[in-house]
Amino acid sequence: MADATAPAPFSPRRAPAKPRAWQRMLSGRRLDLLDPSPLDVEIEDIAHGLARVARWNGQTAGDHIFSVAQHSLLVEDIVGRLAPAAEPRLRLTALLHDAAEYVVGDMISPFKAVLGGDYRLVEARLMAAVHLRFGLPAEPALAAAKLIKRADKTAAFLEAVQLAGFSIAEARGFFGRPEGAPVSSELKPWPAVDAESRFLDRFAALHR
């Protein structure tokens, strides 16, 4: 009869594997979402990803999604209209203002509010890595951040009314009155390959 007090036979077990917290990019880079390194950030990966991430969860009119890459170009253009003397570094910051979304996607504001601080922390770390990779301060100055936010709201207003089914009154309630909108504000979503190419071209013009 077996001794009831004897210890159970040893059974070796592997320690539980840590969940993967990095994403492999087409460039071959592995970007750690929790501790991103600027050395693993490539503009080609950013452009490729943003050109394929849909604004408004894809709930927009047109044959193509309205991509974050196209939105970023619109915001950068509006920044230039609001502040014609803005230096290229500020405009580059505007172009890259949603760069983290090439990794985490474009979550609508109500869902970001549900996720809370953890999402904001991951996003902030990714943005700091992107900025440092391209010679920008980890965090933009307050005045620059406010200017980019104004431009972002104008872009959101135009997108909401023209592509996402909002009434003008409803869009004003969420985003305020548009400032610095282009003279020709008609938005037409581009194919992903065009959005990617135009984003890279504009980056090259500003970064050099």
Side-chain angles (χ1 to χ4, degrees):
M1 182 174 179
D3 185 354
T5 62
F10 174 72
S11 177
R13 293 182 179 178
R14 293 182 179 178
K18 293 182 179 180
R20 178 169 67 89
W22 53 265
Q23 179 175 343
R24 180 183 176 87
M25 304 298 172
L26 284 180
S27 65
R29 297 288 189 185
R30 291 186 178 186
L31 185 66
D32 190 324
L33 275 67
L34 302 181
D35 187 22
S37 167
L39 297 177
D40 290 325
V41 175
E42 300 290 351
I43 192 59
E44 292 80 8
D45 292 331
I46 292 174
H48 184 83
L50 295 186
R52 289 157 177 79
V53 174
R55 291 272 292 169
W56 307 94
N57 271 352
Q59 297 299 310
T60 50
D63 294 333
H64 303 282
I65 65 167
F66 189 81
S67 70
V68 175
Q70 187 171 354
H71 164 79
S72 299
L73 285 160
L74 177 60
V75 170
E76 188 267 325
D77 178 68
I78 295 170
V79 163
R81 295 172 187 278
L82 290 172
E87 61 177 357
R89 283 164 57 87
L90 192 156
R91 296 188 67 156
L92 179 60
T93 303
L95 182 69
L96 296 172
H97 78 283
D98 277 339
E101 294 179 5
Y102 89 106
V103 179
V104 297
D106 180 29
M107 295 187 183
I108 58 175
S109 297
F111 194 40
K112 287 182 181 180
V114 171
L115 293 177
D118 289 343
Y119 174 85
R120 296 293 186 185
L121 181 60
V122 170
E123 186 179 48
R125 287 174 177 170
L126 287 167
M127 286 304 305
V130 169
H131 286 164
L132 293 174
R133 172 65 176 84
F134 301 118
L136 300 170
E139 294 186 15
L142 182 59
K146 286 183 175 180
L147 175 62
I148 293 169
K149 189 63 177 179
R150 285 171 61 196
D152 195 22
K153 285 188 173 183
T154 291
F157 177 93
L158 297 174
E159 295 164 18
V161 171
Q162 295 187 32
L163 300 173
F166 285 59
S167 69
I168 291 178
E170 188 178 17
R172 282 180 178 168
F174 286 112
F175 309 113
R177 292 179 177 273
E179 304 175 81
V183 175
S184 176
S185 300
E186 183 179 357
L187 301 181
K188 182 178 180 181
W190 303 330
V193 66
D194 290 347
E196 180 177 352
S197 175
R198 295 188 195 194
F199 186 94
L200 286 172
D201 288 347
R202 189 58 183 151
F203 171 85
L206 294 170
H207 190 242
R208 70 167 180 243

